[in-house]
Structure formats: structure tokens, C-alpha cells
Amino acid sequence: MDTPFPAPQEYFDAFIKTAQYVTRLTPKQDILTETGNALVRFYGAGFVGFMERMKGGELTCHHWVSPLDLSPHLFTTPEVREVIGEVLETGFFAVHRLEPEEIAVTFLPITWENVVTAVMLVAHRTPDPVPDDLLNSYLAIAGLVSTAVASAVVAFTTAAEKKEAEDSLREAREHLAFLVENTPVILYRLHASDELVTTFISENVRTELGYGPEEFAGDPGFFMSLVHPDDRQRVRSAVSGALDDGTGVAEYRFLGRDGAWRWMHDEMRVVPDGEAGPAGVLGYRIDISPRKRAEEELFGKNEELNAMNEELVSAQDELLQSNRDLRETEHELRKTGQYLDSLIDYANAPIIVWDPQFRITRFNRAFERLTGRTADDVIGRSLDVLFPDPRKRELMEMIRPTVRGEQWESVEIPIAHEKGEVRTVLWNSATLFAPDGRSVSAVIAQGQDITGRKKAEDALVAKNEELISMHEELRHNLDELSRRERELTESERRYRDLAESGRLLLSSETPEEIVQAICERVMAGLSCDVFFNYLIDETNGRMFLNASAGTSEQTAEEIGWLDLGVAVCGCVARDGERIVAEDIQNSPDERTDLVRSLGITAYACHPLVYQDRPIGTLSFGTRSRTRFTDEELGMMKAVTDLVAMAMARKRAEAALTEYMGRLRESNGELERFAYVASHDLKEPLRAVRSFAQLLERKYRGRIDSDADEYVRYIIDGGARMDALVNDLLEYSRVNSADKPFGPVDLDGVVRTVTDVLRERICEKGVEIEVADLPSVHGDPVQMTQLFQNLVSNAIKFGRENGPTITIGVTDRDGVYELFVRDNGIGIASEHFEKIFEIFKRLHTSEEYPGTGIGLAICRKIVERHGGRIWAESEEGAGSTFCFTIPKP
Ligand code: ADP
């Protein structure tokens, strides 16, 4: 069991308690024993004992008490004896430690009459040193013990010492008397009653308190009157306590003669009857004002100590905390330091440290890899060892500011590999300052090998340039495209113009006249400045200027006529070949003299061709360009063709109109002729036929048989001629008939026709089938004639056995399609057209009688009624004649 020191705040309590024990005892043995016990109890001492030197000079330990079972022999070693010897000799306390027992021993002198009579040992088992305040407390106790022992009845334990003790007793009495007179302890005696009647009080009361002993003895209330009124009850209690229990103690304030209050410690004990007199109360009073003050001081000090202690505790806590923090920090630092070290060493980035003299002091593995050099090789050498030879000076200049504290954030510095390869490294640096915070102690720099990146960057730059040029090319292409688009739009516009011009030209009745307007438009569209349109005048074989633009009226007049083969246009008109003249102002071609004189620089002339023959020219010229594009030339050709086409159409139309007119005229003439001829022939024919018949009647058989035959011929020929003349008359009258059109019932018409032809029908046994026919708008006589001709032909060219004729109608859109069908000899398809012409027959009159006019009349009638007629047939398989008549 350890006996550590009590806590400082317990010192005072321990002291008071110990003092109470010590001062109330009388026998020396009791004092010593109880002091030991008190120190053990209140101060936690592990051993308390008293060392005294015997007469023979021997040291004896007595009245020892040890809860730790420490043997007194521990304290009789020569070392301890020496300490004890010193204390006995000098009267000064001593503190000593016993190692290895870890015992702290305090040696306190016990004095009597200024002579050290014994040494009190107080031992604690603790590794700590004895606190000063505890030592003070112990010293005070030693003082108390000294006083108490001095005043106690000396008793000795050994018989051998008894004699000596009796001698000493006497001596002690003397001492006691002296003590009573000279010590501060006031002894007194009271009656053994509650009445505080002083029977004895020691003489030193005079020196201590200023009152004479007689003042106490004479007045039983004197003592109490000087006790502080607040403390009187305490005094009375102590007395009655003593009377009850044998002992009493009180501390109270007492008024000295000098008027000052003193603190008195008063202890009393009931004494039995003895040599000192009857039983009573024996006590002592001692002025404890200094002690009280010391106590108060001690208390104050204690408070202070407590506060200090608290401060200390909290300071200690703080210290502990900061110690922990420090440890942690230290640990962290150590860890960080190690971490940093390994970080630097094993970092992927090259790290280097140099001192202010540019000497390399640290060089990590990444740097070794970067340079192919080892740390051992470069450490201590100048930084320039790392730079490529030609740039060493320049790069060192660059580095210089770093040792003045400048820090890099990213600086590009090339590093040379041992084998010569130069790598580009991007640096950042930090300055390490000396503890003074001002001077630079080192520079640490970390690099990033950007060679690859640099290469990639270069490649990127190249790529970028490539891209830029591609971009430019693209832009160029785009420009080209948009230019072409513009051109296309332009050309589209031109073609639209052209198409419009074509439409205008082709629909115009007078293309020559609108050529002017159209060519002006085309000229503007082609950004040309002039155009000329020459046409050949067939009457004189020369060319006249039909239309032009871009020259003065006077010039136009001057060049108003041009001969074939003269100048560009003349040559083109003569040869029918295009001429494109470029850069005319510098051309030696004489044909271009005329256009050159007009300031023209490029000129294209195309022939206007009609029926493979040139009928004129169309030419365009510019004064601002030296040549035309293919597209422009194509456009000019297209316009020229359009103009030619329009003119050709116009000419064809004119020719047709002319032809039609002539035809109409000749037809009229023919009709007139046919009419006149047939009409005028009728009379002589009638005379011929009449006389021939007369001749036959009168002279038949009277001349000879030949004559009879000849006369017959004349009569037959006359009859045929008559038929012919009649048919011709009929034919010529179709168009001149003045009968107005009206509704014609075709059923009635066909009935009339079959009635007229009944004889022939019956004769040949023809079967006729007639459908319901509509009513039409027309000439009833001509309709009858039409049907009669067709039915008559069907009978004539009908089959011999079982001839049939079918008459019917098909309702078509807007017209009636009527037909007359037979099952006769049929017609070869090549004759389908011919048979409708006048006098055209496929047979002789011997085979089939006829004039070849019947179908011609039919066509005329149908056409007069606004319809058309045609034949459908196969040889030997019958024929169908169809015609249309518009619906009324
Ligand atoms: P014609 O009957 O007086 O000869 P047409 O003008 O009526 O004159 O007929 C012209 C020719 O057409 C006839 O000569 C005949 O060869 C042919 N033709 C007309 N109608 C028929 C028909 N129904 N069948 C066969 N041939 C016919």
C-alpha cells in the first residue's frame, strides 16, 4: 500500500487535528504515540518514529508506528544515521529519499530548551518529492510536539532509565517552573465546578496578557468578562464538557490589557485528587493568535493554493491536452514527414530541391528516370548539369530569381537526358525559408514532363493549320459553290426568261416585231451590250437589220443593209455556221472590223435556220469582256433557235394560208368549171344523144351491121356522158346549195332511199336491216343523196348470194357515228383514201358501171355538215362506210 502525500487542501485540517491530539496529552509516551497515530491518520504517513540518541551515543527508535510495516531498521542504515546525526546536531530539518524503496523521509527536530532532543521521522512511500507546504505543516507539528513533550511528564519505558528519570524529574520540575514562567503557555487551575473560579494561574499571564494572577483569583467573573461575548458559550461548554468527559477544549477571543483581542487555545482536564490538591480542572491557555493568523494566512494561502491548484489543474489539463496535441502533431508531423519523404521519393512527378547556391540537394526517382542520372550522381552539383548544353547560361538566368524567393507557377524549362534527349518540363516551385523567415534556405520544384503533350500540341498545331487550310479550302469551295449557285440562279433566270421569250415568240403572230423586245431582255440577261438581228430578203438576196440594240440610230441606219459574205453576220448568213469572235480589239480577223469599230470586244453570231437554209442571223456582243462562257453561248444559240423556230412557224403558216387560199381558189374554179362544163355540155350532149337515137330508129338495118353497131356505141357513150355530166353537176352543186339546214329525220331518209332503190334491191335479193336512226341538223336532200350513194354502192359491190346491208348508228361524244355495212367484195386498205377522190374507181365500167364521183360527193356532203367519212374493209369480207354528223 502506498502512502502518497495528502492533497494540499488537507494539510490544514490534518494539522489542526494532529495539534488537538498532541496538545491535550500529558505523558510524553502518549504524546509521541498519538502524534505518530495522528500523522498516520491525518497525513497518511507510512511510518512515524522518534530517534533519540542514548547516553552511549547510540540511536534508538521508539514510539514508532507503521501501517506499511516498514521496519525501523530501514532508518538505521549508516546513510540515515548520518542524516539524523546532522539534524540532531544542527537543529535543521532534513528530507531524504530511500531508494529503491521509493520512500520519502522527513526528519524533523524535536527541541527542548533550544536543544534538539530527538528527531521525528515521517515517511511516505511515494516517488514524489515532499511538498514544501507539507514540510511546513510537519515542522509546525514538530514544534507542537516539542512544546508538549517539554511540558509533559517524562516517562520512560525501560527500567534501566528509571533512576536517571527520577533525577531528571527533579530537573524537569525545575524546568517546568522555568517553563511555566517563561513559556507562552498559561497554566491554570479551576474548581471542579461549573463556576469558573480560578484557583491558580501561572505568573506568565502577566507577560502574555497583561493581567496579574491575583486579578483572576479575586474575581470569579473576571475571566469570563474578558472572553469575547460571542465565544463565552463555547468556553462554558468546554468546561462542562471537561467536567463530564474528563477533557475539554475551546478556542476563543480574549481581551488583553493592551486592548487587543487574542485568540486563545484552552485545553482542560479533570485532575483527580493528588498531591497538587483537591480534584479540579487543570488547563493551559496559549495565545494562538499567531497560529490563527498563520491559519488564516494558511487558509488564504490554501485558497490561493486551491485557486493556484485549480489553475494548475487546468494548466495541467491544458498542458496535457497540448501535450497530446503536440504528440499527435508530432506523430502527424513524423507521419507527414515520412509521408512527404516517400511522397517526394516515389512521386510520379520529378521533384528537385536546390540550395541558394543552386546546388542540387534532393533528386527524386522520377527525376532519375527523367534524366537517366542517379541522385548520387547529381546531388551537390550545380543545377546546370540538368540543362541542355547550348541553353545552360540562359536557363540558369531563368532560375536565378527562385533563390530570391520568387515562386514559379508554371514555367517551361527543358531538361537534358544523360543520353542527350531533351525533354520539355513544366515547373512549379516553392521557396523554403530559414527559421528567420527571410533568407531562403532551399527551393523545391516539381516538374511535369510535357514532352509528349508538347509533341501532341505541335501535332495539334499542325493539325490545326491543316484544318485552317482545309477550312479555307472549304470556304473557297463554298464561295465557289455559292458563286455557282448564283450563276445557276442567274442561268435559271435566263432560262426562265428564255422560256418566256419562247412562249411569247411562238405564240406571236408577228415574231419579227417582238424579236426586238425579247432580244433586249436576253441581252440584259447575258450582260451584253449589243445585239443585231439580220434577216435575208429573198427578193434581193441581201440582209436587212430587223432588230438591234446598243448602237446609235445613225449606226443602225448605216448598217441597215448587209451583203451576204460581208462582216461576221454576212459570213454566218452565207455559210450557216456560227462565229464566236473573242478578244476582238486584239484580233487580226478582218471579218470583225465592223464590230471592232463599234467598240465590241467579244461577239457571237448564230444563223437563223429554216428548212436547213439560213434565213438570217442573231448576234450578241459585249464591250466589257473578251469572251463568253459556254453557258452564255448555249443561251444565245437557244434564243437564236427560238427566234428561227418562231419565224419558221410564221413562214410555214403564211405558206399554208397562201396554199389554202390557192387551193380554195382552184377548187372554186374547178367547181365553176365543172358546173359550166357539165351545164354547157348538157345541151350538145342532148343533141348528140337525140340525133343518135333518131339515126338508129331511122337507119337501123338499112346501112350495114357495122353502122348499127357504131350508132349503138354513140348512144351508149352519150348515156354515160350524160350520167357523168349529171354527177359532175351534182358534185359541183353540193357547196353552192342554198337550202338552209334544218332537222332531218334519218329514219325517213333511209325509207325514201330504200323505196327509190326497191327495184334493184328486189332484183338482187338484198336483205336490208335498218336500226333506229336519230334526227340530225342538216340538208335533207343532201342527206338523202348521201345515203343513196352509199346504199347504191353496197348493192352494186354486194355479194351475189345472200347480200345483206346493215344501216346503224353509234352514239358518240358530241356526234352520231352512222354506218352502212355490206357483205360484198370489200376494199383493199391501200385504197381507203383514194376511193373518196373524184373519178377514182377501182374497176372498169364493164365490171361495175359508175363514174367515180359518188363517194366524192358523199365526202363533200359530210364535210359540209361538219363531219368526216372513212371506209373500213377487208377484201372479200364486205365494207363498212362510216360518217359522223354532229349532234343537233
Ligand atoms: P362509182 O360507184 O360510180 O364507181 P364511186 O365514187 O361511188 O364511183 O365509187 C368509187 C369506187 O369505190 C367504186 O368504183 C368501187 O371500186 C369502190 N366502191 C364504192 N363502194 C363500194 C362498195 N360498197 N364495195 C366495194 N367497193 C366499193
Side-chain angles (χ1 to χ4, degrees):
M1 188 183 95
D2 283 351
T3 56
F5 303 117
Q9 61 266 31
E10 290 169 12
Y11 298 166
F12 180 67
D13 279 352
F15 172 79
I16 297 301
K17 286 174 183 162
T18 308
Q20 284 174 352
Y21 263 71
V22 173
T23 51
R24 76 177 180 210
L25 297 174
T26 319
K28 181 183 174 185
Q29 287 85 343
D30 288 359
I31 291 167
L32 298 182
T33 306
E34 288 305 314
T35 301
N37 288 336
L39 288 176
V40 167
R41 239 165 101 189
F42 305 128
Y43 286 89
F47 178 93
V48 182
F50 295 88
M51 285 291 186
E52 224 166 326
R53 202 187 290 279
M54 292 295 104
K55 282 244 162 76
E58 284 298 301
L59 278 174
T60 311
C61 184
H62 57 86
H63 294 94
W64 56 270
V65 48
S66 172
L68 294 186
D69 282 340
L70 296 176
S71 162
H73 295 298
L74 271 175
F75 310 105
T76 54
T77 60
E79 195 189 343
V80 178
R81 291 165 78 97
E82 198 178 320
V83 178
I84 293 169
E86 268 174 33
V87 175
L88 286 171
E89 207 166 302
T90 60
F92 291 123
F93 73 89
V95 177
H96 187 73
R97 288 192 66 78
L98 294 181
E99 303 289 359
E101 294 87 350
E102 286 201 331
I103 295 172
V105 196
T106 315
F107 298 87
L108 302 147
I110 304 294
T111 54
W112 181 56
E113 289 187 335
N114 292 330
V115 176
V116 182
T117 55
V119 174
M120 180 167 79
L121 274 75
V122 187
H124 291 258
R125 175 170 272 163
T126 167
D128 300 327
V130 182
D132 281 351
D133 285 321
L134 182 68
L135 203 57
N136 285 336
S137 203
Y138 283 168
L139 277 168
I141 288 166
L144 272 181
V145 171
S146 298
T147 311
V149 166
S151 60
V153 176
V154 180
F156 295 95
T157 50
T158 58
E161 287 171 338
K162 200 169 176 187
K163 174 75 176 73
E164 193 181 348
E166 280 168 1
D167 292 344
S168 303
L169 185 62
R170 188 179 30 80
E171 212 175 305
R173 281 211 172 111
E174 285 166 11
H175 285 167
L176 188 61
F178 178 82
L179 191 69
V180 165
E181 297 308 319
N182 296 290
T183 66
V185 179
I186 301 160
L187 295 174
Y188 65 91
R189 194 180 172 113
L190 305 175
H191 276 297
S193 69
D194 284 342
E195 293 300 312
L196 294 174
V197 179
T198 305
T199 54
F200 166 77
I201 188 157
S202 58
E203 191 55 37
N204 57 356
V205 73
R206 208 178 294 275
T207 51
E208 291 298 315
L209 299 171
Y211 303 105
E214 65 283 355
E215 289 179 88
F216 291 92
D219 182 358
F222 181 72
F223 169 75
M224 197 52 97
S225 68
L226 296 171
V227 174
H228 192 286
D230 292 348
D231 300 340
R232 283 175 194 162
Q233 187 50 45
R234 210 162 46 238
V235 175
R236 279 195 198 94
S237 301
V239 174
S240 49
L243 289 174
D244 291 346
D245 304 332
T247 59
V249 178
E251 282 182 358
Y252 50 86
R253 283 160 288 184
F254 194 84
L255 188 65
R257 181 139 330 246
D258 56 5
W261 289 101
R262 287 174 174 74
W263 271 100
M264 302 303 292
H265 179 84
D266 202 329
E267 285 204 30
M268 54 207 86
R269 172 181 291 218
V270 176
V271 285
D273 291 343
E275 50 182 312
V281 174
L282 191 67
Y284 71 91
R285 296 178 185 131
I286 184 165
D287 183 353
I288 57 164
S289 297
R291 198 195 85 193
K292 270 283 188 201
R293 276 196 298 278
E295 257 178 42
E296 275 166 13
E297 257 173 48
L298 208 62
F299 189 74
K301 215 165 181 178
N302 196 33
E303 295 268 284
E304 232 173 78
L305 270 169
N306 274 342
M308 265 168 70
N309 194 40
E310 270 168 27
E311 272 172 33
L312 268 172
V313 167
S314 79
Q316 186 183 343
D317 283 351
E318 270 173 35
L319 213 69
L320 276 174
Q321 185 56 42
S322 73
N323 196 27
R324 267 198 302 276
D325 289 350
L326 270 171
R327 268 170 209 275
E328 269 171 33
T329 313
E330 189 195 343
H331 182 65
E332 285 300 314
L333 274 172
R334 198 170 296 131
K335 256 170 53 188
T336 309
Q338 285 164 357
Y339 178 70
L340 278 175
D341 275 352
S342 55
L343 195 73
I344 288 176
D345 269 349
Y346 294 100
N348 273 335
I351 295 171
I352 187 171
V353 180
W354 60 82
D355 66 12
Q357 284 72 47
F358 302 103
R359 283 188 305 253
I360 300 168
T361 57
R362 192 135 192 182
F363 196 76
N364 78 343
R365 284 161 207 254
F367 225 118
E368 289 181 337
R369 287 195 294 275
L370 177 70
T371 56
R373 296 168 182 279
T374 61
D376 291 346
D377 173 25
V378 297
I379 282 180
R381 294 175 70 181
S382 168
L383 259 182
D384 67 1
V385 74
L386 302 174
F387 301 145
D389 285 337
R391 299 190 59 189
K392 276 189 198 302
R393 276 176 71 97
E394 168 211 343
L395 292 171
M396 284 305 283
E397 277 313 306
M398 219 166 141
I399 302 272
R400 198 163 299 285
T402 61
V403 297
R404 291 198 294 266
E406 192 175 293
Q407 308 208 359
W408 293 334
E409 276 183 7
S410 71
V411 173
E412 213 176 284
I413 291 185
I415 293 293
H417 191 274
E418 202 193 11
K419 291 188 178 141
E421 188 202 351
V422 175
R423 303 199 64 86
T424 312
V425 179
L426 198 64
W427 292 100
N428 57 49
S429 77
T431 315
L432 307 179
F433 288 97
D436 64 12
R438 283 194 308 278
S439 53
V440 172
S441 67
V443 177
I444 180 164
Q446 183 205 307
Q448 192 187 353
D449 186 355
I450 57 162
T451 315
R453 208 170 81 190
K454 195 83 176 157
K455 276 187 191 148
E457 204 177 285
D458 289 349
L460 260 178
V461 167
K463 188 88 197 155
N464 199 24
E465 275 165 12
E466 202 179 299
L467 276 173
I468 286 172
S469 75
M470 259 170 73
H471 177 75
E472 267 165 18
E473 202 178 309
L474 269 174
R475 218 173 51 194
H476 175 76
N477 286 348
L478 213 71
D479 288 351
E480 182 65 21
L481 266 175
S482 57
R483 191 183 62 75
R484 286 208 187 142
E485 196 192 340
R486 274 199 306 279
E487 274 177 19
L488 266 175
T489 314
E490 179 68 7
S491 110
E492 192 197 343
R493 188 183 59 73
R494 286 172 184 168
Y495 278 106
R496 213 178 292 127
D497 269 9
L498 196 66
E500 176 64 10
S501 305
R503 196 185 61 74
L504 284 172
L505 272 171
L506 293 176
S507 61
S508 168
E509 292 293 317
T510 55
E512 280 90 348
E513 287 168 22
I514 63 166
V515 161
Q516 179 70 38
I518 284 168
C519 286
E520 276 179 15
R521 212 158 120 185
V522 172
M523 182 181 81
L526 289 171
S527 307
C528 282
D529 304 302
V530 295
F531 90 87
F532 300 114
N533 169 223
Y534 280 101
L535 293 176
I536 297 171
D537 185 340
E538 298 291 342
T539 57
N540 59 13
R542 297 186 76 203
M543 300 201 301
F544 66 94
L545 190 58
N546 177 56
S548 72
T551 57
S552 66
E553 267 182 39
Q554 193 193 338
T555 308
E557 210 165 296
E558 279 167 16
I559 59 170
W561 285 92
L562 202 63
D563 288 320
L564 292 179
V566 172
V568 174
C569 293
C571 293
V572 170
R574 182 193 62 197
D575 305 335
E577 292 288 333
R578 175 182 90 165
I579 291 178
V580 178
E582 296 180 331
D583 198 10
I584 290 166
Q585 298 302 318
N586 301 310
S587 165
D589 191 342
E590 286 177 3
R591 294 176 304 178
T592 58
D593 287 351
L594 177 62
V595 286
R596 191 182 302 117
S597 74
L598 298 173
I600 292 166
T601 49
Y603 191 70
C605 181
H606 287 87
L608 290 165
V609 178
Y610 174 58
Q611 290 182 343
D612 297 335
R613 231 163 25 87
I615 56 165
T617 61
L618 181 59
S619 42
F620 293 91
T622 168
R623 293 191 174 98
S624 56
R625 285 171 290 157
T626 54
R627 49 183 44 84
F628 297 114
T629 63
D630 287 345
E631 197 223 328
E632 286 169 333
L633 290 171
M635 180 79 76
M636 291 175 195
K637 166 90 169 62
V639 179
T640 310
D641 288 349
L642 267 176
V643 170
M645 231 190 297
M647 287 183 174
R649 183 185 59 81
K650 166 83 190 314
R651 287 182 182 209
E653 273 174 17
L656 191 67
T657 312
E658 194 191 322
Y659 171 74
M660 293 280 284
R662 281 209 303 271
L663 200 66
R664 210 172 291 120
E665 204 173 302
S666 81
N667 269 2
E669 267 172 30
L670 193 68
E671 273 177 18
R672 273 192 305 279
F673 165 76
Y675 176 77
V676 169
S678 50
H679 184 269
D680 288 359
L681 279 173
K682 248 185 132 51
E683 191 48 42
L685 182 60
R686 199 185 54 80
V688 170
R689 286 188 69 195
S690 302
F691 284 106
Q693 281 168 356
L694 198 64
L695 198 64
E696 189 186 36
R697 252 189 335 261
K698 249 184 161 175
Y699 298 100
R700 193 176 186 170
R702 290 165 71 177
I703 306 170
D704 57 28
S705 59
D706 283 350
D708 289 349
E709 195 180 340
Y710 296 154
V711 171
R712 178 78 340 229
Y713 284 157
I714 293 169
I715 291 170
D716 284 356
R720 277 214 308 280
M721 177 85 93
D722 187 51
L724 193 63
V725 166
N726 281 333
D727 282 356
L728 258 177
L729 260 178
E730 203 71 53
Y731 176 79
S732 62
R733 278 183 189 143
V734 172
N735 281 333
S736 57
D738 54 0
K739 206 154 184 209
F741 278 14
V744 184
D745 172 20
L746 293 182
D747 281 329
V749 166
V750 171
R751 255 194 319 275
T752 309
V753 169
T754 47
D755 282 350
V756 170
L757 298 173
R758 180 144 318 275
E759 201 183 322
R760 283 177 63 194
I761 290 166
C762 292
E763 191 183 313
K764 286 196 82 174
V766 180
E767 255 187 48
I768 297 186
E769 191 183 325
V770 184
D772 284 340
L773 299 176
S775 177
V776 297
H777 184 72
D779 182 337
V781 176
Q782 287 186 343
M783 279 295 131
T784 308
Q785 191 174 4
L786 172 64
F787 271 99
Q788 191 172 318
N789 285 2
L790 293 175
V791 172
S792 167
N793 276 354
I795 295 166
K796 183 162 66 182
F797 299 104
R799 118 183 357 191
E800 290 301 320
N801 307 317
T804 59
I805 295 172
T806 312
I807 299 169
V809 65
T810 312
D811 197 339
R812 302 247 183 241
D813 196 19
V815 294
Y816 292 116
E817 190 181 302
L818 295 134
F819 63 88
V820 177
R821 181 176 298 142
D822 62 59
N823 57 349
I825 62 168
I827 309 157
S829 63
E830 65 264 30
H831 305 304
F832 286 173
E833 279 296 313
K834 207 162 78 177
I835 54 174
F836 291 97
E837 290 174 20
I838 194 166
F839 306 132
K840 286 285 161 46
R841 313 192 65 232
L842 302 178
H843 311 277
T844 60
S845 50
E846 278 74 33
E847 289 173 302
Y848 294 98
T851 58
I853 297 176
L855 287 178
I857 292 172
C858 287
R859 184 161 76 179
K860 256 192 154 179
I861 291 169
V862 170
E863 283 178 356
R864 186 165 178 253
H865 281 78
R868 65 184 190 91
I869 186 167
W870 68 96
E872 291 171 359
S873 175
E874 255 182 63
E875 265 187 309
S879 309
T880 305
F881 283 82
C882 307
F883 62 93
T884 59
I885 298 291
K887 286 180 181 173

